[in-house]
Amino acid sequence: MSLVNTLILGQRRKRMNEFRTKKAVSKETFVFLAILIATTVYFGTTMGFDVMFDVIIKTAHDLLLDTVFKIMAIAVLAGAFAALMTEFGVVSLINKVLSPIMRPLYNLPGAASLGIITTYLSDNPAIISLTKDKSFTKFFKEHEIPTLCNLGTAFGMGMVLSFYLFSLNADFLPAIIVGNLSALIGSIVSVKIMLHHTKKYYGVTKESERESSLSAEQLSKVREIRPGNTLERFLEAILDGGKNGVEMGLAIIPGVLVICTAVMMLTFGPQGANGEYIGAAYEGVGLFPQLASYIAPVLEFFFGFTSTEAVTLPITSLGAVGAAMGMVPRLLDGGLIASNDIAVFTAMGMCWSGYLSTHVGMMDALGVKRLANKAIISHTFGGLAAGISANYIYKLVVLVMG
């Protein structure tokens, strides 16, 4: 996760150098104030201002203690496991198995499977490090490289998400497997659409001119390992992987606490016995279910949601899948989601994995910021395809299994 932090800091510094000047007080100042005041008044008049602030604090505190630390624990274990798989060549073995099918599925070279493995074991921006390696990019035509943003994002935090959902209930395993398969389908849709745009932008005849320090044969046969004997490498891999898990757990805190608190308060209503507000954590105004109720038949047909509250999971995943993960236990306890929803959330959560908050920075790092809007549009359709696929594939699995 240190790579993610490095990329974010790098992009922030770059954006700071690109900042434009603007009047100290402008139209957007008053627009922002109007929105802030309207939102505060809406929540305050509905819940009571004292209750509103009490709920915000209690919800954020509960999410930090009961959700963030559990996700961090899962991330530490998953990070250690991923580091061991990399250190002892399991990732290289997976790469050899996946490489022959990459061109038929994605119309990308086999080396792109490294991007899938890397991001599945970590997070979206991890694929950017590969694009800085000439021995990796030499296999790609110039118009294929921007599609790696969509490919990597479709599998971001896949292992952490899958492990976390499995830890909640082992019976979710079939749904999680279906979700992973459907995320693969969504990634194919996203990459194919993005390729259509990049071919127009670059032209299909333009080849990459990047040079390589290793031949194609060397790239597939050589991997870097840590110094020391087998036991030392084993221990160092565990510690390094666990450290990355801690960093990932820390990195999701703002998203979980800020985004998830806001979404929770827009999702749930009062918890008092007579429908009154009692200032408990997770109370809110229940706006999202009201809005979702207007298109409930559509949501049911495409995604098979158990309740209108379930739609908040993929919506939250647009900004941060970690925040969406934090909402799952609460929805489960309320009987608002079931196994089918877990399959859909796994697919859409993994495929989208906060792409609205990472895509622009990742495309900028690839040097193709002009294509960021195309990448976002392509990935939107990819996530929808993943969710729809998960719904119907899981229903078919349930039907076959009886």
Side-chain angles (χ1 to χ4, degrees):
M1 195 62 182
S2 57
L3 169 65
V4 178
N5 294 335
T6 301
L7 285 170
I8 292 174
L9 288 174
Q11 292 305 315
R12 284 177 179 171
R13 293 192 187 104
K14 187 173 182 180
R15 285 196 294 268
M16 286 178 67
N17 294 331
E18 296 175 350
F19 277 171
R20 301 168 297 168
T21 58
K22 199 167 188 177
K23 291 175 62 177
V25 178
S26 62
K27 182 188 297 183
E28 70 178 6
T29 306
F30 297 101
V31 172
F32 171 76
L33 280 175
I35 295 174
L36 179 62
I37 293 172
T39 303
T40 304
V41 170
Y42 171 64
F43 278 94
T45 54
T46 304
M47 305 174 63
F49 286 95
D50 55 337
V51 173
M52 177 186 70
F53 289 110
D54 196 24
V55 167
I56 291 174
I57 295 172
K58 287 182 178 178
T59 301
H61 181 261
D62 194 71
L63 286 169
L64 177 63
L65 296 182
D66 292 344
T67 300
V68 171
F69 288 144
K70 183 172 184 178
I71 294 176
M72 181 183 292
I74 298 295
V76 170
L77 295 175
F81 179 65
L84 287 175
M85 292 181 68
T86 303
E87 180 67 23
F88 293 98
V90 178
V91 171
S92 297
L93 176 62
I94 296 174
N95 175 56
K96 287 183 179 294
V97 173
L98 292 180
S99 290
I101 65 175
M102 289 303 294
R103 183 62 72 176
L105 286 179
Y106 294 96
N107 199 23
L108 293 176
S113 61
L114 283 173
I116 294 177
I117 298 169
T118 301
T119 53
Y120 187 84
L121 298 178
S122 55
D123 204 354
N124 307 352
I127 200 170
I128 300 300
S129 63
L130 296 177
T131 66
K132 307 304 178 183
D133 185 352
K134 293 181 180 180
S135 63
F136 175 77
T137 56
K138 72 171 187 176
F139 295 105
F140 295 81
K141 298 176 182 178
E142 193 171 15
H143 74 274
E144 293 173 341
I145 293 178
T147 65
L148 292 175
C149 174
N150 289 38
L151 179 68
T153 301
F155 296 92
M157 287 188 69
M159 177 176 285
V160 173
L161 175 61
S162 299
F163 276 28
Y164 177 70
L165 295 176
F166 181 73
S167 72
L168 297 177
N169 191 335
D171 293 337
F172 288 153
L173 182 59
I176 295 170
I177 294 174
V178 169
N180 277 258
L181 174 62
S182 300
L184 173 67
I185 296 172
S187 70
I188 294 173
V189 173
S190 177
V191 170
K192 292 283 190 180
I193 297 175
M194 188 60 184
L195 272 173
H196 173 74
H197 294 299
T198 57
K199 285 180 180 179
K200 286 186 175 181
Y201 185 80
Y202 285 104
V204 294
T205 60
K206 293 182 179 179
E207 299 287 340
S208 172
E209 297 179 354
R210 295 161 174 77
E211 297 179 353
S212 175
S213 59
L214 292 173
S215 66
E217 184 178 358
Q218 289 175 322
L219 182 65
S220 62
K221 291 184 178 180
V222 177
R223 59 184 171 88
E224 293 183 355
I225 62 172
R226 292 172 171 80
N229 58 40
T230 303
L231 179 59
E232 291 172 338
R233 289 167 52 208
F234 180 87
L235 293 175
E236 190 174 347
I238 289 178
L239 295 177
D240 288 345
K243 180 181 177 181
N244 290 336
V246 172
E247 293 175 353
M248 182 182 294
L250 291 174
I252 68 172
I253 289 178
V256 173
L257 265 58
V258 178
I259 299 176
C260 197
T261 297
V263 173
M264 288 284 195
M265 293 182 67
L266 288 167
T267 302
F268 298 108
Q271 297 183 16
N274 298 319
E276 76 277 7
Y277 288 99
I278 57 176
Y282 306 109
E283 286 189 320
V285 295
L287 178 62
F288 279 168
Q290 293 177 25
L291 296 177
S293 64
Y294 295 116
I295 56 171
V298 177
L299 296 175
E300 170 65 25
F301 177 78
F302 286 109
F303 304 106
F305 290 134
T306 302
S307 66
T308 53
E309 286 83 358
V311 73
T312 58
L313 292 178
I315 289 176
T316 308
S317 297
L318 293 170
V321 69
M325 289 163 61
M327 299 177 62
V328 175
R330 180 69 181 175
L331 293 172
L332 282 174
D333 292 341
L336 300 173
I337 57 175
S339 296
N340 187 81
D341 303 289
I342 293 296
V344 174
F345 169 54
T346 303
M348 300 183 77
M350 187 192 306
C351 192
W352 277 347
S353 55
Y355 76 104
L356 289 183
S357 60
T358 61
H359 250 46
V360 174
M362 291 174 67
M363 293 299 286
D364 192 16
L366 290 172
V368 283
K369 195 172 182 179
R370 291 183 179 180
L371 289 174
N373 61 330
K374 302 296 185 183
I376 289 174
I377 293 172
S378 302
H379 213 64
T380 299
F381 285 107
L384 293 174
I388 295 170
S389 300
N391 177 34
Y392 286 100
I393 292 175
Y394 187 73
K395 286 180 177 177
L396 180 62
V397 169
V398 171
L399 184 64
V400 172
M401 294 177 62

